[in-house]
Amino acid sequence: MPQVELETATLNQQQEDARISSLHATGILDTPQESGFDAITRLAAEYFQADTALLAFGDESRVWIKSYWGEPVRELPRKHSIFDMVLAKDGPVVVPDIAGNPHFKGRRLVLRRLNVVSFASVPVRCHEGKILGALTVFGSQPRREMALDELRMLESLADMAASQLELRRLRNSFQSHASCLPGAGDLLNTVAWPDRSDLRHALDRREFVLFYQPEIDLSSGKIVGLEALIRWNHPERGLIPPMDFIPLAEECGLILPIGDWGLAETCSQIQEWCREDPCHGSLRVCVNLSARQFSREGLADHVEALLRQSGLASRQLGLEMTESSLIPNTRIALEVLGSLRKLGVSLLMDDFGTGYSSLNYLHTFPFDVLKIDRSFVGRMTEGDQPLQIVRTIIELARVLGMDVVAEGIETREQYRLLRQMGCRFGQGFLIARPMAADAITRLLRLPGRVLPQPDSLDSLFD
């Protein structure tokens, strides 16, 4: 990259980091609805006779909606968003008809049931002038150009939101100041590599990559799905496994933008495979979600927007979660999972059997796939008890009308026993290791997407 471009990119990133810091200082993200903000969106919708009005704030990867009037939207991906248009212009964006706007060439703008044709959006700024959010009114019909006094009215309503935001910041100022004192945030810097800044740079420089591990029909060897697994392709240290950086990402809060990147990247890759061969539309590609992602009530809206943007059917995406990711707030988890299930997205309970209340969760949450933990699969040949546990899980899934996937299949004997017990699907090193997207593309080109049976697998993976 030329020096001038590098300096510009560095400056832009510094400005974005400062903006994100100011946003977090308000403490507004992921808070419940408040009547003060709801009054602003209602007034905006009524004054402009809008179909929907949103008051939203943009963090690293999403546009989180604090208040809505009309379509109940709680979260949207930030990429290609109206918020980014406002940020780029550093001011209002008014589009009377998106059909004539080059930004939306070949793309539709849909908010749940509303097919958006026109909108006007103005920035919500902090006391330092940084744009933290946007107040937007949407219409389902083209409208005339907005008069200057109308634009001023919308900006005045945005200023009202900014004033409430500033009051919130002042109320939290002591905590914010304490957390920023010298030494308060230095603990991460005293531990071994990596630290938060390393993860931040990796995300900005697109050093994270997704590998995919095939899931097959054990009776036929056909690839029926894939699991997306994140890796860090560090320019000096090479390929870094997730256990070396995901715990830190969870601790420092970067798991949200990293997780959102993984979701968007997976949808883009599915789209690419389907462009090559429409038959790949029957594949289900699964993404692992963290507990922090499940604390967001707008997760289903975010996923729905990604599916619309990429033109995917909901059945093509699967979301995997462990029992521990549901424990922190079961009420929100139940609401989020219910909304995702309504979308038609497949929900998989990962590492089944390792938690304390897995059976109870099967009755509570709307899962449609169980994944047998690799620890059970690995011990199947050690005696009757481990084998009986796996057989019980398979039978339980059958009774509940759920599919079951065995993880960690590493030997031919494990493969044989699972087939014998009626387990339909499986994945593991015996079948295929996680691999880059281009290697998966070659496997998907095999006739019928059928991998060799285990007796002849050695030649394929040597």
Side-chain angles (χ1 to χ4, degrees):
M1 181 184 292
Q3 184 63 27
V4 174
E5 291 185 19
L6 181 60
E7 291 176 355
T8 301
T10 301
L11 178 61
N12 289 341
Q13 187 55 55
Q14 290 173 345
Q15 292 173 340
E16 174 65 2
D17 288 345
R19 191 192 70 79
I20 292 293
S21 179
S22 295
L23 176 62
H24 286 306
T26 67
I28 191 70
L29 293 177
D30 298 306
T31 55
Q33 288 183 264
E34 297 176 47
S35 58
F37 290 107
D38 290 343
I40 292 170
T41 50
R42 179 178 57 80
L43 286 170
E46 290 177 355
Y47 183 87
F48 292 98
Q49 297 182 327
D51 292 289
T52 292
L54 301 179
L55 175 62
F57 298 92
D59 66 10
E60 295 97 331
S61 59
R62 58 176 176 150
V63 177
W64 179 77
I65 289 93
K66 172 64 177 177
S67 176
Y68 60 82
W69 189 97
E71 289 297 319
V73 185
R74 294 309 304 265
E75 188 175 306
L76 297 166
R78 185 172 155 187
K79 189 177 182 181
H80 302 309
S81 66
I82 292 173
F83 173 78
D84 269 1
M85 295 175 70
V86 172
L87 199 60
K89 190 176 179 182
D90 194 25
V93 174
V94 180
V95 177
D97 187 349
I98 66 171
N101 187 282
H103 182 86
F104 294 96
K105 187 176 181 180
R107 290 195 299 120
R108 296 171 62 210
L109 179 57
V110 179
L111 293 175
R112 287 203 177 264
R113 296 163 299 179
L114 179 64
N115 186 23
V116 177
V117 175
S118 59
F119 68 86
S121 187
V122 296
V124 176
R125 300 179 186 269
C126 67
H127 68 291
E128 299 167 322
K130 300 183 184 74
I131 297 177
L132 305 185
L135 176 62
T136 311
V137 290
F138 300 88
S140 58
Q141 300 294 328
R143 60 162 293 156
R144 56 175 173 76
E145 290 287 347
M146 184 171 281
L148 184 60
D149 61 332
E150 292 178 315
L151 184 59
R152 293 289 178 264
M153 170 59 79
L154 192 58
E155 288 177 325
S156 296
L157 291 171
D159 289 342
M160 290 171 60
S163 297
Q164 293 197 42
L165 211 60
E166 176 62 6
L167 288 173
R168 177 185 288 271
R169 186 190 70 83
L170 292 172
R171 191 168 63 241
N172 297 334
S173 61
F174 179 78
Q175 281 187 321
S176 298
H177 176 67
S179 66
C180 294
L181 284 174
D186 290 343
L187 288 176
L188 281 178
N189 296 324
T190 64
V191 299
W193 183 94
D195 61 18
R196 188 183 193 282
S197 63
D198 295 314
L199 292 183
R200 178 76 259 178
H201 291 153
L203 189 60
D204 296 337
R205 296 168 185 168
R206 300 187 64 81
E207 292 176 1
F208 294 119
V209 295
L210 289 181
F211 276 35
Y212 299 87
Q213 185 173 34
E215 171 195 320
I216 67 166
D217 184 315
L218 295 179
S219 61
S220 67
K222 180 178 181 177
I223 299 174
V224 294
L226 300 159
E227 180 179 0
L229 301 162
I230 193 169
R231 302 287 186 268
W232 182 355
N233 190 16
H234 193 276
E236 297 173 357
R237 297 171 182 262
L239 209 59
I240 299 170
M243 66 282 294
D244 289 352
F245 62 89
I246 288 298
L248 173 62
E250 290 269 12
E251 183 181 341
C252 70
L254 283 176
I255 192 64
L256 291 180
I258 291 173
D260 288 344
W261 169 84
L263 273 171
E265 186 71 12
T266 298
C267 289
S268 296
Q269 185 59 62
I270 299 172
Q271 188 180 38
E272 188 174 324
W273 281 324
C274 290
R275 273 198 297 263
E276 176 174 305
D277 186 346
C279 291
H280 295 335
S282 62
L283 280 172
R284 178 184 65 204
V285 184
C286 298
V287 181
N288 291 280
L289 296 182
S290 72
R292 290 288 294 272
Q293 286 172 290
F294 271 105
S295 68
R296 294 156 46 178
E297 294 181 0
L299 178 63
D301 291 335
H302 193 110
V303 170
E304 182 179 16
L306 285 174
L307 292 172
R308 288 186 185 276
Q309 287 178 7
S310 52
L312 302 180
S314 56
R315 67 176 184 278
Q316 295 174 267
L317 181 66
L319 300 177
E320 296 190 14
M321 61 228 69
T322 61
E323 179 181 331
S324 61
S325 68
L326 304 173
I327 288 173
N329 193 323
T330 55
R331 180 191 62 80
I332 291 179
L334 187 59
E335 291 177 2
V336 169
L337 288 174
S339 298
L340 290 168
R341 199 74 187 93
K342 288 177 183 176
L343 282 180
V345 172
S346 187
L347 301 176
L348 300 85
M349 177 175 268
D350 201 8
D351 302 340
F352 180 74
T354 58
Y356 293 106
S357 54
S358 298
L359 186 59
N360 179 55
Y361 277 24
L362 287 186
H363 293 285
T364 305
F365 296 107
F367 294 105
D368 54 346
V369 180
L370 289 185
K371 299 195 78 173
I372 306 174
D373 185 68
R374 65 183 63 250
S375 64
F376 295 124
V377 174
R379 295 198 302 268
M380 278 197 311
T381 56
E382 296 177 4
D384 290 340
Q385 187 177 23
L387 189 65
Q388 186 59 41
I389 291 173
V390 174
R391 182 179 286 111
T392 301
I393 295 174
I394 294 171
E395 178 61 18
L396 176 65
R398 187 191 66 78
V399 171
L400 294 175
M402 304 168 71
D403 285 330
V404 62
V405 179
E407 294 184 288
I409 303 174
E410 297 185 357
T411 70
R412 291 179 174 85
E413 180 65 8
Q414 291 168 359
Y415 189 103
R416 184 188 67 78
L417 286 171
L418 287 164
R419 283 191 61 182
Q420 191 177 73
M421 289 186 289
C423 180
R424 286 191 59 195
F425 307 110
Q427 64 186 86
F429 284 4
L430 176 69
I431 298 161
R433 292 175 178 268
M435 58 189 78
D438 56 351
I440 290 292
T441 300
R442 291 193 292 273
L443 289 186
L444 295 179
R445 290 171 181 162
L446 291 171
R449 296 203 309 258
V450 175
L451 294 180
Q453 288 294 301
D455 287 342
S456 56
L457 279 170
D458 293 336
S459 61
L460 185 65
F461 297 112
D462 281 344

